[in-house]
Amino acid sequence: MKTNLFILFLLVSSNAFAQSAVSDTIPALSEIVIQGFETNRKLLETPVSAGVITSRDLQKFSTVSMLPAINMTPGVRMEERSPGSYRLSIRGSLLRSPFGVRNIKVYWNDIPFTDAGGNTYFNLIDQNTIGQIEILKGPGSSMYGANTGGVIILHSNENQFDADKHDADSHQLQAQVSGGSYGLFGENLQWKYTGKKISSSFTQSHIQADGYRENSRLRRDVVQWNGAAQLSGKDKLSWILMYADMYYQTPGGLTLQQMNDNPRQARPSTPVIAGAKEQKAAIYNKTPFTGLSNQHVFNEHWSNTTSVTFSYTDFKNPFILNYEKRYETNVGVRTKFSYHKVLGIHDIKITTGAEWQYNYSVINNYDNKGGVADAVQYKDKIGARQVYPFIQGGWQIGEKVQLQAGASTNFFTYHYQRLTDVDDAKKKKVLNEQLLPRFAALYRITKNLSLYSSVSKGFSPPSIAEVRPSEGSIYTNLKPEYGWNYELGFRGKTADSRLQFDIVAYQFKLQDALVRRTDNNGAEYFVNAGGTDQKGLEFSAGYTVIQRNEGFVRSLQLSGSATLNDFRFTHYQVNGKDYSGNALTGVAKHIYSGGIDMRTAPGLYLFSSFVYTSKLPLLDDNTVFASPYRLLSARLGWLKKINALSFNLFAGIDNALNQLYSLGNDINAAGNRFYNPAPGRNYYGGIAINF
């Protein structure tokens, strides 16, 4: 079967790598455009702490995961407890995310991807459909609603059309097949079409793996259609249609002794509780997602962008302690009006609008009898509604100064009904709204140097998964977390753009922080932890050593980043224990990364990266720490063009130093089962064709 697919792809077409590999230079700060906070300006001109990951960055690593590329971004950490089980945090927002993505707002272009319940199924996204990932660090509540961690904007990878310049239709066929250690196999097919007034990208992908550990198999199938069309001189419609069918097993956490004895085992059974393998612990997720966005230009000053979204998730989770079935319906609308006026040296832009989202979830819990739903434990209906209006003004004064000021407020309500209770009346909880301002400024010291600063307030209510965690209790006493963020940054480049750098210092004071805890059986629940004081320093730089059109080595580039964290609880007491002053659980104090990117005249290329992560506390009392680890990876390939056909043959190695480490620790875990061992030294390879 795999051999037949391999031959088919060789005969058809291949991956977007060949297209992006034409560019041999690190994108300059003067070229990267930031769209977040309605800036639409080059990074060097933007008062925002941001990380940008291009499709070329994604293709420097394995072809099936965004994780290694994202983890090269300072202040951002992506974890994978087992294949497909992703977690994502920005500046330590992992406290409340045992799995999935919470406290971060995710958009696909202008379309909300995060649901009203506060959850994002980031693991459903196929990286081959992404042209650029824009990460806005720090609270984005002034424009993007409930979050204290930050905002991620995914940009589609379809080609951009220009009605004035595009004369003929064009088609681009791409395909890729790859395989690797532990039964890894992936394939991707993509067709791009660009016409005079329309562009689209249709993608089909499949990934499967046996997994490094017992009970850690993965299968994911995604079909997606992105596009944009110029409907008239005033209207441009964009869309995303996606269907994802994902299954992955969850092996569970191990103690340190169990990990050292056999890191490939699943959580074993005890005399009281069956293990992950015996209970067939896994996640089944089937989700269709639809988003439409229309931009209407009224005149040279006024425009409106309105987006609508709908998704439905059929979610099943046979877990060690129970079997959960969840059916989620999500709808949302986001609209914004923009006014733009240039008066001499003054460039003024005002944006105002609102976002409304609604989530309705039917959540049923059963006893888990060896992977089969048995007796009923609970049956619930839970809904969440978020509404927030926002306004922001931007003022560019000449070439030197840019000012931004914005604010929003929030209206968050959830209702719940326990059908298995005698009192099955519907109950309602309304959270108090807050004013969420943001102020930012940038000063261009020279043409190539900028100083920027911002002050912002973030707000994040408990998600449905925290109000009603998997063990079945409903926690109506949880309060939203909120806090103020202060940051100062300095970025720039040399005149020849060979050296580029970005450095930012920040302090985030969070109140009523939501923190995950577990009971004696390992069932999770959440508490408000009082406050945290999060101080950090982030640095990134890139240097082009060689860039020429002759000689064997055509380009050689070095990159590096550093994340320095001093995160502490300020006042945190639980069950009579005081953890005030302790380091924030699950956050490493130091993370350093570096990379080498080399290309040669014959088409040979080498990408290599190194990441060091320091020890991090696993318990709130700071008595247990995960050991530091060092990850070395490399990808060697050969890119060859024959007329209109491009071949990309590649092979790579991950964890070349064969480190024993946990990429995704279960913090505050019962029985000290903190560790989810990541694969040891492993290999991958594949071929991609494009024409």
Side-chain angles (χ1 to χ4, degrees):
M1 175 67 178
K2 294 180 182 179
T3 303
N4 292 337
L5 286 171
F6 185 88
I7 296 172
L8 173 65
F9 298 145
L10 283 178
L11 294 175
V12 184
S13 53
S14 181
N15 178 359
F17 182 93
Q19 179 187 9
S20 62
V22 174
S23 174
D24 287 337
T25 59
I26 297 174
L29 296 175
S30 57
E31 298 171 353
I32 298 174
V33 175
I34 298 296
Q35 298 183 20
F37 293 109
E38 298 301 308
T39 303
N40 294 320
R41 292 181 179 274
K42 296 170 183 176
L43 184 59
L44 198 58
E45 305 169 2
T46 304
V48 176
S49 179
V52 176
I53 301 168
T54 66
S55 60
R56 184 175 183 272
D57 296 323
L58 294 172
Q59 293 149 1
K60 291 180 180 179
F61 303 92
S62 168
T63 59
V64 298
S65 175
M66 294 179 280
L67 185 147
I70 288 177
N71 283 346
M72 298 294 285
T73 306
V76 184
R77 181 176 176 85
M78 192 171 186
E79 299 181 344
E80 189 175 32
R81 298 190 303 166
S82 62
S85 181
Y86 289 142
R87 300 193 302 198
L88 181 63
S89 69
I90 303 175
R91 293 179 173 174
S93 61
L94 190 63
L95 273 177
R96 53 189 288 197
S97 299
F99 60 88
V101 177
R102 303 174 190 169
N103 198 29
I104 297 173
K105 198 68 178 290
V106 180
Y107 289 82
W108 196 290
N109 299 327
D110 276 309
I111 300 168
F113 197 75
T114 300
D115 63 38
N119 182 55
T120 305
Y121 291 116
F122 207 78
N123 53 1
L124 301 183
I125 298 170
D126 176 16
Q127 72 179 58
N128 296 288
T129 64
I130 297 174
Q132 180 171 294
I133 303 174
E134 193 174 315
I135 303 174
L136 310 178
K137 305 174 190 176
S141 301
S142 63
M143 283 288 292
Y144 299 105
N147 71 87
T148 56
V151 179
I152 293 179
I153 303 175
L154 305 173
H155 299 285
S156 303
N157 72 341
E158 69 265 15
N159 299 325
Q160 301 299 311
F161 64 87
D162 189 330
D164 296 329
K165 297 180 181 179
H166 199 89
D167 296 325
D169 295 350
S170 66
H171 299 267
Q172 185 179 5
L173 296 175
Q174 306 165 4
Q176 177 177 266
V177 62
S178 61
S181 303
Y182 313 117
L184 175 65
F185 173 74
E187 58 88 359
N188 168 260
L189 290 167
Q190 191 172 76
W191 168 53
K192 292 183 179 181
Y193 168 75
T194 307
K196 189 171 184 179
K197 293 186 177 181
I198 187 172
S199 66
S200 70
S201 174
F202 184 85
T203 305
Q204 174 274 327
S205 70
H206 170 81
I207 297 172
Q208 65 183 55
D210 296 331
Y212 171 70
R213 300 174 61 192
E214 292 182 313
N215 204 68
S216 63
R217 288 187 176 181
L218 162 71
R219 176 195 50 77
R220 188 188 71 187
D221 290 284
V222 179
V223 178
Q224 186 167 325
W225 183 32
N226 302 330
Q230 194 73 43
L231 301 181
S232 68
K234 293 182 176 295
D235 290 280
K236 180 181 178 181
L237 178 68
S238 302
W239 64 86
I240 169 177
L241 303 175
M242 180 187 77
Y243 177 75
D245 183 351
M246 187 170 191
Y247 162 75
Y248 60 93
Q249 297 174 323
T250 54
L254 302 177
T255 66
L256 181 60
Q257 185 63 49
Q258 290 169 342
M259 182 173 73
N260 288 331
D261 290 344
N262 178 15
R264 302 192 64 174
Q265 67 179 311
R267 173 178 166 174
S269 298
T270 69
V272 179
I273 300 176
K277 187 176 179 180
E278 290 72 20
Q279 289 290 67
K280 295 181 171 56
I283 299 288
Y284 301 80
N285 187 328
K286 297 180 180 180
T287 297
F289 179 90
T290 302
L292 301 173
S293 181
N294 186 72
Q295 182 183 49
H296 179 79
V297 178
F298 296 99
N299 52 47
E300 62 177 330
H301 301 301
W302 285 97
S303 65
N304 169 265
T305 301
T306 297
S307 305
V308 295
T309 179
F310 170 82
S311 66
Y312 176 80
T313 296
D314 181 339
F315 184 95
K316 295 180 177 64
N317 177 204
F319 181 56
I320 289 176
L321 302 177
N322 57 40
Y323 193 122
E324 180 178 287
K325 295 183 179 181
R326 192 163 72 235
Y327 309 96
E328 305 172 351
T329 301
N330 292 282
V331 292
V333 178
R334 177 179 174 87
T335 186
K336 61 184 180 183
F337 291 86
S338 295
Y339 174 79
H340 186 205
K341 180 76 171 181
V342 178
L343 297 171
I345 64 170
H346 304 283
D347 189 334
I348 299 171
K349 185 175 183 180
I350 300 174
T351 303
T352 184
E355 186 172 315
W356 172 88
Q357 288 185 294
Y358 179 74
N359 168 281
Y360 174 71
S361 298
V362 176
I363 308 175
N364 301 329
N365 282 66
Y366 306 85
D367 292 341
N368 183 10
K369 191 174 181 178
V372 178
D374 199 39
V376 174
Q377 295 181 354
Y378 305 102
K379 287 191 173 184
D380 298 320
K381 294 181 179 179
I382 298 182
R385 183 178 68 247
Q386 294 193 48
V387 183
Y388 69 91
F390 57 86
I391 185 170
Q392 176 179 278
W395 183 15
Q396 178 76 32
I397 307 173
E399 298 181 353
K400 291 286 188 180
V401 178
Q402 184 184 157
L403 304 175
Q404 286 183 350
S408 75
T409 188
N410 62 280
F411 303 93
F412 186 91
T413 303
Y414 64 85
H415 56 81
Y416 54 95
Q417 183 180 18
R418 173 144 289 176
L419 304 179
T420 49
D421 281 356
V422 175
D423 176 18
D424 62 354
K426 183 182 292 186
K427 300 176 179 63
K428 183 178 180 181
K429 178 80 172 182
V430 179
L431 303 182
N432 295 330
E433 64 270 13
Q434 296 190 31
L435 180 65
L436 306 167
R438 175 180 177 270
F439 305 95
L442 177 139
Y443 178 71
R444 295 284 295 273
I445 302 171
T446 68
K447 181 180 178 181
N448 298 318
L449 297 174
S450 296
L451 183 69
Y452 61 97
S453 180
S454 69
V455 177
S456 59
K457 184 180 182 182
F459 166 89
S460 184
S463 67
I464 286 180
E466 292 159 340
V467 172
R468 203 279 195 191
S470 59
E471 55 88 25
S473 299
I474 298 178
Y475 296 85
T476 60
N477 60 336
L478 290 178
K479 297 180 288 185
E481 60 180 20
Y482 66 94
W484 285 91
N485 183 68
Y486 310 86
E487 60 184 55
L488 178 66
F490 179 55
R491 62 170 59 108
K493 62 173 186 173
T494 55
D496 58 4
S497 295
R498 281 186 175 271
L499 174 65
Q500 310 174 48
F501 67 89
D502 197 340
I503 183 169
V504 61
Y506 67 90
Q507 181 177 24
F508 183 35
K509 291 182 171 291
L510 186 65
Q511 301 297 319
D512 292 326
L514 287 159
V515 176
R516 175 189 186 255
R517 301 190 68 82
T518 59
D519 63 19
N520 292 331
N521 293 323
E524 68 181 21
Y525 65 97
F526 296 83
V527 298
N528 288 106
T532 67
D533 186 7
Q534 302 173 204
K535 301 173 183 175
L537 182 68
E538 298 163 358
F539 173 78
S540 62
Y543 181 69
T544 301
V545 181
I546 298 173
Q547 186 63 50
R548 61 191 182 189
N549 296 321
E550 57 184 20
F552 180 75
V553 177
R554 294 298 174 89
S555 70
L556 176 62
Q557 299 158 347
L558 308 178
S559 61
S561 70
T563 303
L564 309 179
N565 299 318
D566 184 9
F567 292 4
R568 299 193 175 274
F569 293 110
T570 53
H571 49 278
Y572 178 21
Q573 296 183 4
V574 176
N575 299 328
K577 298 180 179 179
D578 189 353
Y579 303 122
S580 303
N582 286 1
L584 213 61
T585 321
V587 179
K589 289 184 67 69
H590 308 120
I591 300 176
Y592 304 102
S593 70
I596 299 174
D597 182 345
M598 182 178 69
R599 297 176 184 271
T600 67
L604 294 172
Y605 62 85
L606 171 67
F607 304 141
S608 182
S609 68
F610 178 81
V611 179
Y612 168 80
T613 302
S614 69
K615 69 177 185 178
L616 54 87
L618 298 172
L619 287 172
D620 292 341
D621 63 10
N622 287 183
T623 57
V624 180
F625 285 78
S627 300
Y629 59 88
R630 300 158 181 84
L631 296 180
L632 176 65
S633 67
R635 171 169 163 161
L636 178 66
W638 179 53
L639 183 65
K640 181 66 174 179
K641 294 190 69 175
I642 304 175
N643 298 323
L645 195 65
S646 296
F647 292 87
N648 179 27
L649 185 66
F650 58 89
I653 181 172
D654 287 326
N655 192 8
L657 302 179
N658 202 28
Q659 297 274 281
L660 177 60
Y661 72 105
S662 173
L663 185 58
N665 302 291
D666 294 337
I667 62 176
N668 295 317
N672 293 333
R673 291 184 293 268
F674 306 112
Y675 305 98
N676 291 279
R681 184 183 297 115
N682 62 96
Y683 308 89
Y684 64 90
I687 187 170
I689 311 167
N690 178 71
F691 68 89

